Amino acid sequence: QVQLVESGGGLVQAGGSLRLSCAASGRTFRNYYVGWFLQAPGKEREFVTRISGSGGITDYADSVKGRFTISRDNAKNTIALQMNSLQPEDTAVYYCSARKRGTVRYDYWGQGTQVTVSS
């Protein structure tokens, strides 16, 4: 079992930056891929980025490439999402999620953190 708690959301002007954090429980956290997803009002949840258990593999949605960076610290059981050059269309609730290595479905989700970018 993994429990995830996000933090770091807030209100920022266009062009600004935010750093989201996800704190995870569990002794075998390094065995889990972690992803960030977003859900904008009235839209379905969509993939943003993911990172492998060791941190050596990352993947990004085209819309955030070059602006967002995912990282993890397995010693501290934390995942970070650095978001730069934010735009109003990045406004959404951001969720941290985890799936165990060897599986395809993200089974563990945080409660989400709101990011609002004003123009």
Side-chain angles (χ1 to χ4, degrees), residues 57-79:
I57 301 172
T58 58
D59 189 22
Y60 296 90
D62 288 343
S63 59
V64 306
K65 281 180 181 176
R67 300 189 299 125
F68 291 11
T69 303
I70 189 172
S71 60
R72 69 189 294 162
D73 184 340
N74 285 337
K76 296 181 179 180
N77 276 15
T78 58
I79 307 95

Side-chain angles (χ1 to χ4, degrees), residues 1-2 24-32 74 77:
Q1 281 281 358
V2 174
S25 65
R27 297 182 179 178
T28 60
F29 182 60
R30 64 176 60 251
N31 292 334
Y32 290 80
N74 285 337
N77 276 15

